[in-house]
């Protein structure tokens, strides 16, 4: 188990012990900070949250609620904390982008049509679909972030906007995959496409088994 | 004037003052104890994050007998210098303010002799 995961587990365990109102206050703050950006240092954020939670637990013992301890304006506190987050490192940003890109490409390859000559990759979709997906993810996280402390009573707008983004993204992906194919394809000939698919299947299986083993060890510990 | 507005300017120096006395955790209680009873986490935690980001304080985790490891704060050499500057500025400012208030009191007692 990584240090970050251990801290997050500790936060979850301690949050469950809070009174319902304090639990709601703290989980909202946690979600607000976590959705401030894709690339902030998760370990540092969790350290900050755990520290605040431990102080809150002590305040609880003196009869103070989360609202009394942290104040009536968690959003402003959250904004001020976000301002102090260190700028994300380029390495972390590239790492996450690569992961999203990799996942998208795996699905692109798996869903590409197989012809007599091999696997036919749609190049336009191969380039544009990951960009679309990453933009959609960033937008949805942004909506989630702003919906935690809504400024008005229209609580339905995040659902509507998220629904619209998902619908538009899926529609564009379908259009890119099915319409823009002529002259923009790349053929992976036999047997390379079979080798590529086999390598992906082995990679996914090893990853899945590794994750299961990790969870099993964590439960045993 | 609201007390919170007055406090804002000096809170940073007071936090540095408390941390300068040794490795510290539970700063909120210490500040409540030192005359800031209305201070809330919404003010303190962003300030600590700012001081840490600015290099005036560092935090280390130390095991706690009551549960998970706690974050202890310490002054850095830069933080010590910032605190010394604060002491100097505060000494000047409080001197000027006290002098002004004394003048006002003295004028109240002797209305015919302004200044």
């Amino acid at each position: 188990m990584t240090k970050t995961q251990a801290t997050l587990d500790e936060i979850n365990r301690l949050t469950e012990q809070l009174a319902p109102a304090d639990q709601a206050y703290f989980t909202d703050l946690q979600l607000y900070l976590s959705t401030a950006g894709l690339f902030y240092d998760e370990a540092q954020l969790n350290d900050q949250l755990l520290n605040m939670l431990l102080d809150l637990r002590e305040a609880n013992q003196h009869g103070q609620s989360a609202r009394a301890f942290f104040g009536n304006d968690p959003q402003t506190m959250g904004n001020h904390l976000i301002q102090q987050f260190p700028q994300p490192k380029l390495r972390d940003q590239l790492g996450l982008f690569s992961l999203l890109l990799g996942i998208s490409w795996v699905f692109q390859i798996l869903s590409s049509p197989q012809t007599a000559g091999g696997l036919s990759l749609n190049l336009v979709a191969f380039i544009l679909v990951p960009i679309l997906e990453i933009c959609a993810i960033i937008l949805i996280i942004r909506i989630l972030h702003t919906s935690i402390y809504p400024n008005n009573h229209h609580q339905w707008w995040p659902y509507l906007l998220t629904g619209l983004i998902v619908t538009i993204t899926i529609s564009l992906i379908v259009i890119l995959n099915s319409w823009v194919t002529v002259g923009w394809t790349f053929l992976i000939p036999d047997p390379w496409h079979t080798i590529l698919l086999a390598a992906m299947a082995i990679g996914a299986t090893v990853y899945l088994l590794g994750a299961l083993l990790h969870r099993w060890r964590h439960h045993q510990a | 004037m609201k007390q919170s507005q007055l406090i804002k300017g000096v809170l940073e120096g007071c936090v540095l003052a408390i941390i300068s006395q040794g490795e510290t955790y539970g700063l909120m209680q210490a500040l409540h104890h030192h005359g800031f009873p209305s201070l809330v986490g919404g003010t303190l935690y962003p300030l600590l994050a700012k001081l840490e980001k600015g290099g005036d304080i560092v935090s280390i985790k130390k095991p706690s007998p009551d549960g998970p490891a706690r974050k202890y704060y310490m002054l850095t050499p830069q933080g010590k210098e910032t605190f010394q500057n604060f002491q100097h500025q505060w000494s000047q400012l409080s001197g000027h303010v006290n002098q002004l208030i004394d003048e006002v009191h003295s004028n109240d007692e002797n209305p015919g002799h302004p200044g």
Side-chain angles (χ1 to χ4, degrees):
Chain A
M1 182 163 50
T2 63
K3 205 175 155 192
T4 308
Q5 187 57 47
T7 310
L8 194 59
D9 285 353
E10 192 63 38
I11 290 171
N12 293 338
R13 190 182 66 80
L14 292 174
T15 307
E16 280 170 18
Q17 295 172 4
L18 296 173
D22 288 0
Q23 224 175 78
Y25 186 103
F26 194 81
T27 47
D28 278 354
L29 180 67
Q30 184 180 9
L31 193 57
Y32 190 70
L33 294 177
S34 312
T35 53
L38 273 181
F39 308 111
Y40 287 122
D41 185 346
E42 202 186 348
Q44 198 166 358
L45 169 66
N46 287 334
D47 269 353
Q48 172 78 56
L49 284 165
L50 181 60
N51 190 42
M52 291 166 74
L53 190 52
L54 290 170
D55 287 349
L56 171 62
R57 204 171 60 152
E58 270 189 22
N60 277 171
Q61 285 164 4
H62 295 101
Q64 266 191 309
S65 68
R67 196 161 282 278
F69 182 69
F70 291 121
N72 289 319
D73 193 354
Q75 186 178 17
T76 304
M77 171 169 65
N79 289 339
H80 288 159
L81 283 170
I82 291 163
Q83 279 171 15
Q84 303 307 330
F85 284 170
Q87 280 304 309
K89 291 177 192 154
L90 184 67
R91 190 189 60 190
D92 296 336
Q93 298 188 33
L94 289 178
L96 187 59
F97 271 127
S98 315
L99 181 69
L100 294 171
L101 202 68
I103 292 169
S104 180
W105 278 350
V106 165
F107 280 98
Q108 285 284 306
I109 291 168
L110 289 176
S111 61
S112 292
Q114 193 159 345
T115 62
L119 202 69
S120 174
L121 284 181
N122 178 345
L123 279 185
V124 174
F126 211 65
I127 295 164
L128 289 184
V129 166
I131 296 173
L132 265 174
E133 286 171 347
I134 289 169
C135 289
I137 289 169
I138 290 172
L139 278 174
I140 290 170
I141 288 176
R142 197 73 217 149
I143 291 167
L144 180 62
H145 179 73
T146 47
S147 66
I148 295 164
Y149 299 116
N151 290 325
N152 54 45
H153 298 294
H154 302 300
Q155 307 244 343
W156 44 266
W157 71 264
Y159 301 102
L160 181 73
L161 272 179
T162 307
L164 267 174
I165 290 166
V166 171
T167 309
I168 291 169
T169 307
I170 290 173
S171 307
L172 286 173
I173 290 171
V174 169
I175 290 168
L176 282 168
N177 273 315
S178 52
W179 288 359
V180 196
T181 51
V182 183
W184 295 85
T185 54
F186 177 75
L187 194 74
I188 302 177
D190 272 329
W192 292 106
H193 89 274
T194 314
I195 293 170
L196 180 68
L197 290 175
M200 280 166 50
I202 291 167
T205 310
V206 168
Y207 178 80
L208 188 68
L209 287 175
L212 286 173
L213 188 68
H214 179 78
R215 283 183 76 85
W216 180 75
R217 278 186 181 154
H218 174 54
H219 282 293
Q220 292 293 312
Chain B
M1 183 183 281
K2 278 187 178 178
Q3 195 192 27
S4 60
Q5 283 176 302
L6 274 173
I7 288 172
K8 251 180 201 169
V10 295
L11 187 62
E12 192 174 311
C14 294
V15 167
L16 291 175
I18 289 171
I19 298 175
S20 75
Q21 293 170 43
E23 290 177 1
T24 315
Y25 88 93
L27 272 160
M28 187 77 88
Q29 281 180 350
L31 285 160
H32 284 176
H33 180 70
H34 282 91
F36 297 92
S38 58
L39 183 77
V40 290
T43 309
L44 178 65
Y45 291 106
L47 177 61
L48 287 172
K50 183 185 155 208
L51 289 170
E52 200 168 2
K53 190 183 174 188
D56 284 326
I57 58 172
V58 284
S59 61
I60 50 161
K61 276 186 164 183
K62 284 193 167 183
S64 160
D66 306 328
R70 299 300 306 247
K71 212 175 181 182
Y72 283 74
Y73 292 99
M74 288 179 297
L75 284 194
T76 61
Q78 180 193 309
K80 286 177 185 163
E81 203 175 310
T82 309
F83 179 49
Q84 277 176 356
N85 288 339
F86 168 76
Q87 286 180 80
H88 178 67
Q89 286 173 338
W90 175 250
S91 165
Q92 278 188 335
L93 183 69
S94 61
H96 294 321
V97 174
N98 285 338
Q99 196 179 353
L100 186 61
I101 291 171
D102 285 346
E103 274 178 28
V104 172
H105 285 166
S106 129
N107 287 341
D108 285 346
E109 285 162 16
N110 306 296
H113 300 85

